[in-house]
Amino acid sequence: MPTDRHDAVLTILPAPLLAGLAWAWLTSVGTAVALGAGSLFAVAPLAYALFVRPP
């Protein structure tokens, strides 16, 4: 089943947040700091999908 670009963006949005959680778990970085950093990386594909290539 083919998906479009926006479905792919929605699929990868949790990946930076999960990477931030893994970073917090593997290092001594706090969970809030790691999730904050992950959310900054998660906003990039969202902004691209909303403002550069809108549906």
Side-chain angles (χ1 to χ4, degrees):
M1 177 165 89
T3 60
D4 64 350
R5 181 184 332 261
H6 294 92
D7 289 336
V9 168
L10 289 175
T11 302
I12 65 168
L13 277 179
L17 297 174
L18 292 175
L21 277 177
W23 182 38
W25 184 64
L26 295 172
T27 65
S28 63
V29 175
T31 305
V33 172
L35 284 177
S39 67
L40 287 176
F41 287 110
V43 79
L46 180 65
Y48 169 79
L50 288 176
F51 300 113
V52 178
R53 301 282 292 217

